[in-house]
Amino acid sequence: MTTQILDAFDIEKDSDSIDIAAKLLREGKTVIFPTETVYGLGANAFDESAVKNIFVAKGRPSDNPLIVHISDVKDIEPLVTEIPDILYTLAEKFWPGALTVILPKSQRIPYITSGGLDTVAIRIPQNEIAREIIKRAGVPIAAPSANLSGSPSPTTFLHCKSDMMGRVDAIINSFDSLVGVESTVLLLDKNEPRILRPGGITYEMLLQYLPNLQIDKGVLNIIADNEKASSPGMKYKHYAPNADCVLVKANTKSFCDFVKKEQQKDKNVYVICFDEDIEFIENNAISYGKVDDHTTQAHNIFAVLRQTNDIENISKIYIHAPSMNDVGLAVYNRLIRSCAFNITEL
Ligand code: TXA
Ligand code: MG
């Protein structure tokens, strides 16, 4: 398949690219577009064969549902059968933004989009180019992260190009994703509201409007083969670079002492760590931000994980675990999966 590259950095100056992308989506084609969380691989959410092409391009299991992106809160009505009052409060506070809500789906949403579930995940992205493309397409856009299934999510145009060239109809070349981790997935049903995936909108932010907010067990724990996942995405291998990774929970001193010993045994051991660790580790260390700066950690983490794939002879990666408050919970949630739940506490 030939993949068209469309530059879009400015809504007005790059209006032509936005028109082309919108037209392609309307015609049932696949288009990768920027969002503030990560880049998304979009197709018309109503069009079964277009949505099928998303699953094929990513190599994604067909039971893992997609998020449907809209550009205005009024566009939610045809997609769902029920809208709880709290949705409008959350929409006012957090949309457009990194929050996805799960509601009972209407018949307009085909089962291929919802991974066979009777619910649908919906979000309005903050990125203006994304919203403009969706608006001009005139249809809701199903879009998972634009990476090959299992690899770290793409936060730059180059990440998308390296995973998806020849697999989609078009890729928008735009700015790097601001947030850097995906949206928070929030289940709103008859039970207490529950976070199925922590993301850009934090537990602490949501708690102000949802005092009985829960965090699903699958956010921090491995789902056993015989257990039902609240969110199918929890079951799958995720965000993994090529080398084996271990997540290390430790303070600066014990982390640095530990990895230095490991590097003495094997010079091909690499470290993903905080700015504060760098001066104590002589070799093979990449920082993803300051220890207390979860916003920067979120912004960098997927790019840093991908960067390790270019290092020759890398044998193992030790990753310094972030604390779990604010967007740190989202970063921690991604990293336990990058490490296939291989966690060491010092
Ligand atoms: O920030 C984001 O959310 C990005 C951008 C492109 O918007 N999208 C994204 O999509 O991360 P994806 O497909 O990579 O992740 C969607 C997650 C998956 O873990 C999926 O299982 C879950 O949301 N999900 C989607 N629909 C669901 C549903 N009806 N019930 C439970 N979980 C659902
Ligand atoms: Mg994804």
Side-chain angles (χ1 to χ4, degrees):
M1 177 189 297
T2 319
T3 301
Q4 193 177 352
I5 304 288
L6 298 164
D7 291 344
F9 294 89
D10 183 280
I11 294 215
E12 269 140 48
K13 290 196 198 101
D14 299 312
S15 186
D16 290 353
S17 292
I18 294 172
D19 274 339
I20 295 168
K23 183 162 177 283
L24 286 170
L25 287 165
R26 238 184 354 258
E27 288 170 351
K29 301 287 200 293
T30 47
V31 177
I32 292 179
F33 60 95
T35 91
E36 74 283 12
T37 56
V38 301
Y39 274 69
L41 195 180
N44 178 353
F46 292 149
D47 181 335
E48 294 188 26
S49 79
V51 170
K52 183 161 181 280
N53 288 332
I54 296 180
F55 286 92
V56 173
K58 278 183 66 86
R60 181 175 174 110
S62 62
D63 70 345
N64 195 2
L66 307 178
I67 295 175
V68 175
H69 297 69
I70 55 177
S71 62
D72 192 297
V73 70
K74 70 174 182 338
D75 297 335
I76 202 171
E77 282 163 26
L79 311 181
V80 300
T81 55
E82 272 176 59
I83 304 183
D85 289 341
I86 189 68
L87 186 272
Y88 291 104
T89 309
L90 297 174
E92 195 189 313
K93 302 292 170 194
F94 302 113
W95 277 351
L99 177 68
T100 294
V101 295
I102 295 178
L103 293 169
K105 81 169 193 72
S106 75
Q107 287 185 344
R108 301 272 338 248
I109 299 288
Y111 277 108
I112 186 167
T113 302
S114 70
L117 299 175
D118 289 318
T119 51
V120 61
I122 299 171
R123 127 169 155 93
I124 304 182
Q126 190 169 52
N127 183 296
E128 276 200 330
I129 289 172
R131 278 211 313 281
E132 196 59 27
I133 291 171
I134 299 163
K135 194 168 141 199
R136 292 193 204 173
V139 287
I141 302 297
S145 49
N147 51 292
L148 288 171
S149 212
S151 67
S153 300
T155 54
T156 72
F157 163 67
L158 288 178
H159 296 160
C160 299
K161 214 173 139 196
S162 110
D163 277 21
M164 289 296 167
M165 212 48 195
R167 306 179 75 91
V168 293
D169 294 294
I171 306 179
I172 306 266
N173 174 24
S174 191
F175 295 113
D176 296 355
S177 299
L178 217 58
V179 179
V181 290
E182 303 89 335
S183 62
T184 302
V185 177
L186 176 69
L187 177 64
L188 295 175
D189 62 7
K190 300 276 174 290
N191 302 316
E192 289 160 330
R194 192 148 40 102
I195 292 179
L196 303 186
R197 178 181 71 181
I201 301 297
T202 64
Y203 169 80
E204 291 86 344
M205 288 156 87
L206 289 168
L207 199 57
Q208 295 178 45
Y209 307 97
L210 302 167
N212 52 355
L213 180 63
Q214 308 293 309
I215 298 180
D216 194 87
K217 181 172 164 258
V219 165
L220 292 175
N221 298 285
I222 197 160
I223 306 279
D225 285 345
N226 59 357
E227 251 178 303
K228 186 178 176 302
S230 311
S231 185
M234 288 171 176
K235 291 185 304 199
Y236 295 107
K237 179 181 166 234
H238 258 320
Y239 319 115
N242 299 338
D244 281 346
C245 304
V246 180
L247 191 64
V248 183
K249 298 169 83 164
N251 62 28
T252 306
K253 182 165 187 324
S254 30
F255 178 78
C256 296
D257 288 349
F258 170 77
V259 296
K260 276 199 303 203
K261 273 197 203 118
E262 293 302 310
Q263 288 183 325
Q264 276 160 11
K265 287 187 249 165
D266 176 354
K267 67 174 177 27
N268 292 317
V269 162
Y270 276 72
V271 179
I272 295 177
C273 61
F274 302 122
D275 289 359
E276 289 84 346
D277 302 325
I278 289 278
E279 62 174 303
F280 302 108
I281 306 169
E282 274 133 53
N283 304 304
N284 303 357
I286 311 170
S287 170
Y288 69 113
K290 289 200 168 69
V291 66
D292 289 326
D293 184 356
H294 295 312
T295 305
T296 303
Q297 292 162 20
H299 179 80
N300 292 334
I301 191 60
F302 287 138
V304 168
L305 288 169
R306 278 177 179 262
Q307 206 181 319
T308 64
N309 288 341
D310 299 329
I311 303 169
E312 266 179 59
N313 299 325
I314 184 165
S315 59
K316 198 168 203 173
I317 308 170
Y318 289 102
I319 307 178
H320 201 168
S323 58
M324 284 187 251
N325 55 313
D326 62 75
V327 84
L329 181 66
V331 178
Y332 186 90
N333 166 272
R334 305 310 186 272
L335 286 175
I336 52 180
R337 287 166 173 81
S338 305
C339 296
F341 289 89
N342 200 344
I343 306 169
T344 297
E345 193 156 0
L346 300 178

